Amino acid sequence: MATEQTAPTVPAPAADVAIVDDPDVARTLLDPLRCRVLATLAMPGSSSTVAAELGEPRQKINHHLRVLESRGLVALVEERPRRGLTERVVVATASAWVLAPELLGGNAPTVRAADRDDDRLSTRYLLAVASRLVSEVGQLARRARAAGKRLPTLTIDTDIRFASATDRAAFTNDLADAVHRLAATYHDESAANGRWHRLIVVAHPRPPREDST
């Protein structure tokens, strides 16, 4: 009596965003074809399925899959027989990747102490803070995953249209006052079990949308 075979359990695609700080992994990600290969592996696939979707030779795709797997960008899901051979099914290990500023070494923007007082309205300062954000959150996220914990973060993102530069300046002052009041209310320098958090508030012009007039 033949026994019914059940299909192997296919893992769901990774839900997190991975921060890349290894130069070899970054070079792998910057290869245009490998980027396309990764995009097809949001759900599990093999060299055959990826080659068919991208219109590339299977042997070529198989080579790139091996490189991606060696860099930890894809992971093995299962191996199954196919036409006398063993077909490897892999999946991307993250839903997206961000290159860490550390890859630029001394060329990455840094937040200097003087900037906090003298250059808050500059684009350079904003980008330096954003660079630090990616670096710090990336490191903390890796530690949290390794410990099986969730990293406590908060993101507020909205659009606002100012009628004039005067209104924008008034909003800036009101927002700064509100943040200072909240920080003074909830900051506790001597809390025994307290944990430091970094609060960042930024604003920049929104790029024009394709449907805007």
Side-chain angles (χ1 to χ4, degrees):
M1 179 178 178
T3 57
E4 183 179 352
Q5 295 183 348
T6 58
T9 301
V10 177
D16 59 334
V17 176
I19 307 294
V20 175
D21 56 10
D22 183 290
D24 289 334
V25 178
R27 280 191 288 269
T28 300
L29 274 173
L30 292 174
D31 181 274
L33 179 54
R34 288 171 186 164
C35 282
R36 294 172 59 205
V37 170
L38 272 178
T40 69
L41 291 172
M43 295 299 291
S46 66
S47 58
S48 298
T49 61
V50 174
E53 183 167 347
L54 298 182
E56 297 282 352
R58 187 188 64 79
Q59 293 84 354
K60 183 178 182 180
I61 294 300
N62 187 59
H63 165 72
H64 288 299
L65 288 179
R66 293 286 185 178
V67 174
L68 291 169
E69 187 174 358
S70 71
R71 300 288 188 262
L73 296 170
V74 302
L76 179 66
V77 174
E78 64 170 327
E79 293 181 326
R80 59 194 181 196
R82 184 175 184 271
R83 298 178 182 176
L85 301 174
T86 300
E87 184 178 55
R88 293 169 55 83
V89 179
V90 297
V91 69
T93 55
S95 61
W97 288 266
V98 176
L99 298 182
E102 296 93 302
L103 291 169
L104 296 174
N107 296 314
T110 58
V111 178
R112 300 186 298 251
D115 293 337
R116 295 187 177 93
D117 298 322
D118 301 331
D119 212 13
R120 287 182 179 274
L121 300 181
S122 77
T123 301
R124 196 212 74 82
Y125 182 54
L126 187 154
L127 292 175
V129 170
S131 175
R132 184 185 63 187
L133 172 67
V134 171
S135 178
E136 291 183 345
V137 173
Q139 295 173 16
L140 293 169
R142 282 193 294 270
R143 295 174 187 173
R145 283 195 298 269
K149 297 181 179 180
R150 183 173 180 176
L151 184 66
T153 62
L154 168 68
T155 304
I156 300 174
D157 181 21
T158 189
D159 292 339
I160 181 171
R161 184 176 183 180
F162 296 109
S164 65
T166 300
D167 284 353
R168 185 181 67 237
F171 174 84
T172 299
N173 292 332
D174 290 345
L175 179 60
D177 290 342
V179 171
H180 289 156
R181 287 197 304 271
L182 285 171
T185 299
Y186 292 98
H187 177 70
D188 191 337
E189 189 81 23
S190 60
N193 297 317
R195 182 177 182 181
W196 286 95
H197 283 66
R198 197 186 295 281
L199 174 65
I200 299 170
V201 181
V202 303
H204 61 81
R206 192 186 72 184
R209 295 176 175 174
E210 292 183 0
D211 59 351
S212 63
T213 57

